[in-house]
Amino acid sequence: MGFRNYLLKRLGYALLVLFIILSLNFLLFRIMPGDAVSMIMDPKFDLATKEELRSQFGIDQPIGTQYIKYLKSLLSFDMGRSFNTRRLVWDELKERLPNTLTLFFASFITTAAVGISLGVFAAARRGTFAENFVTGAGLFAYAVPGFFIQLMLLMIFGYYWPILPIRGTMSAPPPPGAMAQFLDRLWHLILPAGSLMVISFGSWALYTRNTMLEALGQDYIMTARAKGLDKKTVLYKHALRSVLPPILTLIFMSLPGAVTGAVITETIFSWFGVGKYLIDAVMQQDYPAAQGAFYLIALSVIVSNLLADLAYGLVDPRIRVGGGAK
Amino acid sequence: MSKIRGGNGNNVAQEPPKKLKKVTFWQQYRRKPLGMLGLCIVVVYVLAAIAAPIITQYDPTKDLFLADNLAAPLWMKNLSEKYKDAPVTISKTVDLDGWNVTEGADFSITKTTYDEEDFMLIDMPAASSSGEQDPMMEILKDIYTPEELAEMFGASAAAKTSFSMDFTFPYNYSPPNTFNFTFDYAVEGSSPEATTVARLLIISPSGKEYDIWGMDAYGDWPISYITVDGRDVPVKMRLGLGFFDDPSKIILSEKGDYKVKFMVETDSSTGAKIYITPVKINIPGLLHGILGTDHMGSDLWSQLIYGARISLLIGLTAAFISVFLGTTVGIISGYVGGAVDEVLMRFVDVLLAIPSLPILIVLSALLGTSVWNVVILVAMFSWMGTARLVRSQTLTLKERAFVEAAKASGATDGYVMVTHILPNVMPLVFSALVLRIPSAILTEASLSFLGLGDPRVPTWGRMLQNARGFGAFTVMAWWWLLPPGLALTFLSLAFVFIGNTVNEILNPRYRERS
Amino acid sequence: MAMLEVKDLTMYYKTLRGYVKAVDSVSFELEKGKALGLAGESGCGKSSMATTVLRLLPSNGNIMGGSVKMDGKELVSLSEEDFRKEIRWKRMSMVFQGAMNALNPVHRIGDQIMEAILAHENVSKQAAKDRMLNLLDMVGINPKRYNEYPHEFSGGMKQRVVIAMALACNPDIIIADEPTTALDVMVQAQVLTAMEGLRKKMGLGMILITHDLAVIAQTCDDVAIMYGGKIVEYGSAKDIYLKPRHPYTMGLVKAFPNIAAEKQKVRSIPGSPPNLLSPPEGCRFNPRCPMATDKCRTEEPPLVKSQKGEQKVACHRESEIEEGVDIWQ
Ligand SMILES: Nc1ncnc2c1ncn2[C@@H]1O[C@H](COP(=O)(O)OP(=O)(O)OP(=O)(O)O)[C@@H](O)[C@H]1O
Ligand code: SF4
Ligand SMILES: [Mg+2]
């Protein structure tokens, strides 16, 4: 029951954040400097378009009605039409979402795998090159502008040794055959996902190493060693297992950051995804599109936060089995 | 492990307890090599920011077309075969003193001004039918008027006055991408039916003549601005070249002394006054300065140097505002407690749950791009970590005896917060401040890189954006990409080093993770 | 031959500022089924001693010399792998200081006990489980709770789980490092009684490390008093508790409320423990000793049989101290 309460609490909290973000989204696009109508309305729109926009934004209605209407429409993913393409924003986002998710998962999984295993390795081998490497990589990840590293990688592998594609999610035209297409997509994924991994595995490795070292200094590790368990059991079953909750939390807590990183990455590698869509929309002052993309990104961040809470609860028995640490 | 200092009580013959010397912050800081390295780097940046106008002579954004687009740095000459004898910008204005008159030296040639511009005035006398005469023409002249004659035989039939002048310039490089000549030109005082023909020729060292510009004026010709660019289609047509041919590559393919020749010929019976401004010649270099040029031909080195100003300014102010906010909220939340604490901390939670870069993108697009907007936005979305840190420290301070005592003696909450809590959280705040700077700098750089920075100021993020957007990759202009990236990297590394060192000294037990 | 013989054991921690002489030439013996108490101020090297014997030192702890023999077999030179398989837990187990945290929070307590059994004995899972349930029962924990996590138990119960775990492989010696300090007094007594009962029943040898001389007096056969990484007095518990011969022990005994004569004034020894990075020359206690002479400041007193009692004492002026005189007055 403790777990259920915990879950309900987190869920309620996520809903609150969602509500606040929605309101913010509403306000942001309405308190823009100048008159909202003139900002949104392009004079060259024809009358029907203007009418449609008017009803889409409900600009003539009182702000309260507008707000309710807005909430309803966003909750049903009705985000209006893009000024630019005149298509439904949600349709456009739906096309891009799979690409963003692919990039996201590919980079995220490789980053987590490389980062965590390096961190464990470094903790197990204190004072060796591995540890120095991990410390250095952590510093690197914190202080070096990621997009700069990505640009460098793009220059090296896309131009100097042009062995990887420099833009897009797949070749145009796509190669024939499902397998070939799959490989082609994978091929295009290497640079964006790989560069994301390069710029962020360091902080993972460093964090894992630090929590591992902290765990290795705990009394229960001493107990495990005293029990005559072999090194591997001590390291993995006791130390690693006990740092899984914080690492898992980290995994999910860095989801939002990864979403953010994807925005820049998609821009650099012209990846046909939601992040690039947001930037393009913002650059072209396509407000419905920008609003929709922002809403989708914010939503995914909330969901990943919720997942983080859930995962934490599942992994840490202190939460899963009621009570809480004494 | 605690260090045990001299005991007390019964020790009889023990050495007197060592007096603890007060070690100043600086004395401790000085010993940390990484901290000192960071400080040195920051000092270098600050000096560069202050002395920018001395270090570089160009304005980073206003001085355009200093050389060709994407010109390489001068030192590339020594590194790459491709740039071995690439041209540097040749830019000169040839006025009356520079020209060497080869035909019509006896005409009156004077300097004058017209519409506040310097002109040279060539006073061409009326065409006299001197010299060998065509007997047939002599007969026809009696029958027809000169106008009718001109109509029948063309201007050439009439007598002409010619003028020509040239000047020589050396060109010892590989061909440039283009060249251009600009000048104003006018004809006055010509008889209405007369034709005045002007030509501009380039004569290569081997003697080939290239007719790159010409103008046939009937009667007077008002002042017009002439610009001849090597890439212009009319130039290609005059030279009989194809659309995709490159005149500059053909004309300037030789090395040696080139001649530029200007000639006028008129058959005006009243003579003609030719006005021509000093001719500006520009051959945009493919090599320029310390870091070459960007897509607008402006100087990258000066963009890099002036970039330090913006980065430092934005980093410092944003970090300052952010930490100020965080400290205020943290102290109030921790000290006042209760509902205030609850509300403030929930607010912090919510802000932390909002993806900061996307909202920064949206906001900076809505608010417009200015340096101050960026500063404020970056600050607004980065103070939460500090608030949490300061709050937890305040919570422990609140329980301490001196705070209790102050409260008991009737001090107001505000007074206690400012005089008792604040000084005690200062060490924490200080290192939070230093560690906030690099992330503020990097956030600003990301925004600029995405094109959401202030377009009027040169920033490193924008340099990187331009490099990406305007072809640095295709020409492998790594000198455009590396310097701003490395500048950012070193600056933020420096602040991280300083921050960690400060943290080690001031808060030995706290390690801020952010 | 005693079951455990420790002779001239020396262990230093290497630090940036030099060696911390935490265990310096320590010798003692433990007979089968007997209990040895190890007492001394905080930081005098008691835990270091225990971890040295079990070879659980941190990477900067170096055994500089001496020997640890079990049934005549040298342990210091035994390979790490043999030591782990043959000695740890099987022959010698340990209840750690701060045993509250000795249980891994993410594993069920039953699993943690069974793990120790399975690591050393080639028994079936079921057999291990049966033994585990039995052990829990023995220490007074409802065996049905074997499936729970450490945080679901109170401090005293956790401590009992730890004790059950220490008994899992039927060791010959159990080293208990302040097994009860974190518990409140009532629970302390319970745990100690339970442990004593089990120990007697199973014929275990024990090294009990504690600050509390009274506890030692109640449970131990022998006592070694440590000061600054060295043993300064070593003998039977009764002798030392009732007739301490070393100035430091005298002060220590006085510092604890006496169970026999309750009304005695409690007072602690002035001064602070030596810095083991650079301990004082001569007798390490000399800066705080009311009887210190020049000899004490230059010459180290050996641990020898007392002239006026049964125990061994390391003090130059031991023979001068008359019985019953309070040198700390
Ligand atoms: N890993 C280590 N590195 C360096 N010095 C250490 C280390 N561990 C302990 N020490 C030092 O060794 C000395 C002995 O420590 P030890 O933990 O053995 O004392 P103790 O008698 O068990 O104290 P307590 O009663 O507080 O548990 C202390 O001065 C301590 O500071
Ligand atoms: S040797 Fe000297 S200093 Fe040490 S205890 Fe004995 S009398 Fe005191
Ligand atoms: Mg201890």
Side-chain angles (χ1 to χ4, degrees), chain C residues 160-318:
Chain C
R160 285 177 217 211
V161 172
V162 171
I163 291 168
M165 192 157 75
L167 299 174
C169 296
N170 292 314
D172 299 308
I173 298 171
I174 182 167
I175 302 177
D177 189 354
E178 310 195 18
T180 57
T181 25
L183 306 175
D184 63 59
V185 189
M186 289 300 292
V187 184
Q188 261 185 27
Q190 279 174 16
V191 170
L192 278 175
T193 323
M195 206 161 73
E196 247 328 86
L198 287 170
R199 193 177 72 77
K200 292 259 163 65
K201 205 164 95 189
M202 301 170 76
L204 282 178
M206 175 168 78
I207 299 176
L208 176 67
I209 299 175
T210 176
H211 286 115
D212 193 341
L213 277 181
V215 168
I216 289 186
Q218 278 176 318
T219 50
C220 294
D221 305 295
D222 290 339
V223 182
I225 305 291
M226 276 187 90
Y227 183 82
K230 284 179 163 301
I231 291 183
V232 294
E233 190 161 5
Y234 177 41
S236 81
K238 209 177 97 206
D239 287 343
I240 289 178
Y241 195 66
L242 297 179
K243 285 179 284 174
R245 296 299 301 157
H246 192 280
Y248 173 64
T249 319
M250 293 177 178
L252 209 59
V253 171
K254 283 181 81 68
F256 282 91
N258 196 320
I259 7 168
E262 260 171 53
K263 284 272 157 68
Q264 215 160 0
K265 211 172 119 202
V266 179
R267 77 186 265 235
S268 61
I269 304 166
S272 43
N275 177 0
L276 292 180
L277 266 172
S278 50
E281 289 270 305
C283 174
R284 290 192 179 171
F285 189 52
N286 80 60
R288 297 164 77 186
C289 181
M291 295 172 61
T293 61
D294 282 344
K295 188 182 178 191
C296 300
R297 282 172 209 120
T298 51
E299 207 176 298
E300 205 177 308
L303 182 67
V304 291
K305 163 96 181 39
S306 154
Q307 306 195 347
K308 291 194 167 131
E310 295 302 310
Q311 64 265 53
K312 287 180 173 176
V313 181
C315 172
H316 292 305
R317 300 186 62 188
E318 184 262 328

Side-chain angles (χ1 to χ4, degrees), chain B residues 370-391:
Chain B
S370 83
V371 170
W372 293 113
N373 281 348
V374 171
V375 165
I376 288 171
L377 287 178
V378 169
M380 294 299 280
F381 287 92
S382 64
W383 54 270
M384 295 81 75
T386 316
R388 281 190 168 173
L389 199 71
V390 169
R391 173 181 172 271

Side-chain angles (χ1 to χ4, degrees), chain A residues 219-220 222-223 225-231 233 237-239 241-242 245 315 317-318 320-322 324-326, chain C residues 51 54-57 84 88-89 96-98 101-107 112 115-116 119-120 149 151-152 165:
Chain A
D219 290 341
Y220 55 78
M222 189 73 123
T223 313
R225 281 176 65 206
K227 278 200 280 196
L229 304 180
D230 60 76
K231 267 193 178 145
T233 315
K237 191 170 164 198
H238 285 271
R241 176 62 185 74
S242 71
V315 170
R318 276 165 294 194
R320 185 178 61 211
V321 208
K326 295 215 163 71
Chain C
T51 43
L54 253 181
R55 293 189 28 192
L56 289 172
L57 293 168
R84 173 176 82 73
R88 283 194 193 135
W89 234 244
F96 286 96
Q97 183 170 15
N101 304 319
L103 293 170
N104 194 325
V106 298
H107 293 297
Q112 296 193 49
E115 183 184 43
H120 292 287
Y149 287 91
H151 75 270
E152 295 169 84
M165 192 157 75

Side-chain angles (χ1 to χ4, degrees), chain B residues 156-483:
Chain B
S156 61
K160 286 174 191 153
T161 328
S162 305
F163 173 85
S164 69
M165 57 187 184
D166 61 23
F167 78 88
T168 309
F169 70 95
Y171 186 82
N172 292 311
Y173 307 102
S174 55
N177 285 341
T178 187
F179 55 82
N180 52 62
F181 294 83
T182 47
F183 53 92
D184 292 0
Y185 171 78
V187 181
E188 242 178 35
S190 153
S191 52
E193 76 290 357
T195 313
T196 307
V197 178
R199 291 280 181 279
L200 196 66
L201 306 171
I202 299 181
I203 301 160
S204 77
S206 65
K208 287 198 190 105
E209 284 197 10
Y210 300 97
D211 174 6
I212 57 167
W213 174 79
M215 178 180 286
D216 297 1
Y218 300 101
D220 281 355
W221 192 261
I223 288 191
S224 43
Y225 174 72
I226 312 291
T227 169
V228 186
D229 192 290
R231 285 167 297 208
D232 290 346
V233 178
V235 175
K236 294 179 186 177
M237 281 163 61
R238 287 188 80 84
L239 294 170
L241 295 174
F243 187 77
F244 295 105
D245 288 330
D246 189 346
S248 57
K249 291 278 183 288
I250 294 165
I251 299 173
L252 289 165
S253 61
E254 297 170 40
K255 287 178 190 170
D257 288 344
Y258 280 82
K259 240 181 213 157
V260 175
K261 185 169 180 188
F262 175 80
M263 43 196 275
V264 207
E265 207 172 57
T266 183
D267 57 3
S268 163
S269 52
T270 52
K273 287 192 170 64
I274 308 293
Y275 288 86
I276 179 169
T277 53
V279 176
K280 284 202 195 90
I281 302 177
N282 185 41
I283 302 178
L286 297 176
L287 292 173
H288 171 85
I290 298 171
L291 287 182
T293 58
D294 69 2
H295 58 296
M296 301 287 282
S298 50
D299 185 46
L300 286 173
W301 170 247
S302 55
Q303 291 183 10
L304 185 74
I305 296 297
Y306 279 90
R309 288 189 168 184
I310 303 301
S311 277
L312 284 172
L313 181 77
I314 290 181
L316 290 171
T317 31
F320 189 82
I321 298 174
S322 153
V323 168
F324 179 80
L325 270 175
T327 309
T328 314
V329 171
I331 290 183
I332 292 177
S333 186
Y335 186 83
V336 179
V340 174
D341 181 32
E342 186 65 22
V343 168
L344 285 177
M345 283 303 115
R346 286 301 76 83
F347 182 56
V348 163
D349 286 346
V350 169
L351 271 188
L352 280 172
I354 297 177
S356 63
L357 190 69
I359 203 166
L360 284 181
I361 290 170
V362 168
L363 278 175
S364 53
L366 289 180
L367 298 181
T369 47
S370 83
V371 170
W372 293 113
N373 281 348
V374 171
V375 165
I376 288 171
L377 287 178
V378 169
M380 294 299 280
F381 287 92
S382 64
W383 54 270
M384 295 81 75
T386 316
R388 281 190 168 173
L389 199 71
V390 169
R391 173 181 172 271
S392 65
Q393 175 78 345
T394 306
L395 282 179
T396 61
L397 286 171
K398 201 165 81 167
E399 308 299 325
R400 296 269 192 83
F402 63 92
V403 176
E404 300 280 340
K407 275 200 279 189
S409 68
T412 63
D413 283 349
Y415 180 81
V416 174
M417 282 191 262
V418 171
T419 56
H420 291 286
I421 308 278
L422 185 63
N424 284 294
V425 297
M426 265 339 259
L428 216 54
V429 169
F430 186 55
S431 43
L433 176 69
V434 182
L435 285 174
R436 179 59 54 216
I437 297 173
S439 46
I441 289 176
L442 292 189
T443 310
E444 184 278 328
S446 311
L447 285 178
S448 297
F449 175 70
L450 290 173
L452 295 162
D454 190 330
R456 287 158 303 181
V457 293
T459 68
W460 294 327
R462 205 154 67 85
M463 279 177 82
L464 288 168
Q465 185 212 11
N466 288 341
R468 172 176 176 273
F470 296 102
F473 288 94
T474 35
V475 297
M476 287 304 296
W478 50 269
W479 51 84
W480 191 352
L481 206 60
L482 268 182

Side-chain angles (χ1 to χ4, degrees), chain A residues 13 16-17 20-21 24-25 28-33 39 139-140 142-149 151-152 154-156 159-160 167 203 207 210 250 256 259-261 263-264 266-270 278-279 282-283 285 287 290-291 294 297-298 301-302 305, chain B residues 345-346 348-350 352-359 361-363 365-368 381 435-436 438-439 442 445-447 449-452 460-461 464-465 468 472-478 481-486 488-490 492-493 496-497 500 513-514:
Chain A
Y13 179 64
L16 173 73
V17 174
I20 290 177
I21 287 183
L24 206 69
N25 204 1
L28 280 186
F29 287 89
R30 249 147 275 244
I31 52 165
M32 299 174 291
M39 281 291 277
L139 187 63
F140 177 84
Y142 180 73
V144 179
F147 60 90
F148 168 56
I149 301 301
L151 288 175
M152 290 312 294
L154 179 63
M155 178 170 250
I156 294 169
Y159 291 87
Y160 192 70
R167 52 171 57 244
S203 55
Y207 181 80
N210 291 346
L250 174 76
V259 170
T260 303
V263 174
I264 300 184
E266 287 183 1
T267 311
I268 291 178
F269 297 101
S270 308
L278 172 70
I279 294 284
V282 160
M283 289 314 223
Q285 316 230 315
Y287 291 110
Q291 197 175 26
F294 175 70
I297 290 174
V301 168
I302 293 174
N305 276 335
Chain B
M345 283 303 115
R346 286 301 76 83
V348 163
D349 286 346
V350 169
L352 280 172
I354 297 177
S356 63
L357 190 69
I359 203 166
I361 290 170
V362 168
L363 278 175
L366 289 180
L367 298 181
F381 287 92
L435 285 174
R436 179 59 54 216
S439 46
L442 292 189
S446 311
L447 285 178
F449 175 70
L450 290 173
L452 295 162
W460 294 327
L464 288 168
Q465 185 212 11
R468 172 176 176 273
F473 288 94
T474 35
V475 297
M476 287 304 296
W478 50 269
L481 206 60
L482 268 182
L486 290 182
L488 275 170
T489 305
F490 287 130
S492 52
L493 262 184
V496 172
F497 287 157
N500 285 343
R513 278 190 39 80
S514 52

